[in-house]
Amino acid sequence: MRFEQLDVWKRASRLACDIYKATETIQNWGFKDQITRSGLSVPSNIGEGEERETNKEKVRFLYYAKGSLGELVTQLYIGIEIGYLNKQSSMDMIKEAKELAKIIGSLIKNMESQIKEENADYKID
């Protein structure tokens, strides 16, 4: 399956687009750059990981995507607090980011189980 067909990638891409739209008028370029980068990093790392050859590499990039979601949630809270972002729409994005983190966490757990099974097949008793 291509990464473009993954629901988690589609949702992460939509979230990244929402971040860009929500920050369109922000004049603080440092904040704007940081939050858009963390949002863009999520689907980018999912896509990059899916193009890797081994499950171990794929898991590594899923961890990067999950970490970027934590960064994004932090920046959304700060953006609300300092008045850069609309509270309601940002809370919706935070909810989506947390749901994506759970999904990615499940994917990681499943892939790590597969890796352990694959490695167990090579053990000599």
Side-chain angles (χ1 to χ4, degrees), residues 15 38 42 64-74 97 100-101 104:
L15 179 59
S38 62
V42 180
Y64 294 155
K66 193 171 185 288
S68 292
L69 285 164
E71 183 181 357
L72 177 61
V73 167
T74 299
L100 289 170
I104 291 171

Side-chain angles (χ1 to χ4, degrees), residues 108-118:
I108 290 168
K109 198 173 196 176
N110 290 339
M111 291 187 92
E112 285 179 337
S113 291
Q114 288 176 358
I115 293 167
K116 285 179 185 173
E117 288 174 17
E118 290 167 4

Side-chain angles (χ1 to χ4, degrees), residues 94-109:
I94 288 168
K95 181 181 177 196
E96 176 69 356
K98 288 181 176 185
E99 287 177 17
L100 289 170
K102 285 180 186 176
I103 292 167
I104 291 171
S106 294
L107 289 171
I108 290 168
K109 198 173 196 176

Side-chain angles (χ1 to χ4, degrees), residues 6-23:
L6 296 173
D7 185 54
V8 69
W9 179 84
K10 290 176 187 177
R11 287 174 63 178
S13 295
R14 274 196 298 282
L15 179 59
C17 292
D18 290 344
I19 295 294
Y20 271 90
K21 291 174 188 172
T23 60

Side-chain angles (χ1 to χ4, degrees), residues 29-123:
W29 306 116
F31 178 83
K32 184 177 183 174
D33 182 60
Q34 191 67 33
I35 196 169
T36 54
R37 283 175 181 264
S38 62
L40 188 59
S41 178
V42 180
S44 298
N45 277 302
I46 294 168
E48 185 171 352
E50 284 299 309
E51 291 297 320
R52 297 295 173 141
E53 296 299 317
T54 67
N55 281 342
K56 189 174 180 181
E57 286 182 296
K58 291 176 185 185
V59 166
R60 182 165 45 104
F61 282 90
L62 287 175
Y63 273 116
Y64 294 155
K66 193 171 185 288
S68 292
L69 285 164
E71 183 181 357
L72 177 61
V73 167
T74 299
Q75 293 160 358
L76 285 165
Y77 279 126
I78 291 169
I80 293 166
E81 189 65 30
I82 61 178
Y84 284 0
L85 298 171
N86 173 278
K87 185 175 184 176
Q88 186 55 57
S89 63
S90 295
M91 292 305 292
D92 291 342
M93 289 187 278
I94 288 168
K95 181 181 177 196
E96 176 69 356
K98 288 181 176 185
E99 287 177 17
L100 289 170
K102 285 180 186 176
I103 292 167
I104 291 171
S106 294
L107 289 171
I108 290 168
K109 198 173 196 176
N110 290 339
M111 291 187 92
E112 285 179 337
S113 291
Q114 288 176 358
I115 293 167
K116 285 179 185 173
E117 288 174 17
E118 290 167 4
N119 289 339
D121 291 341
Y122 294 106
K123 288 187 181 176

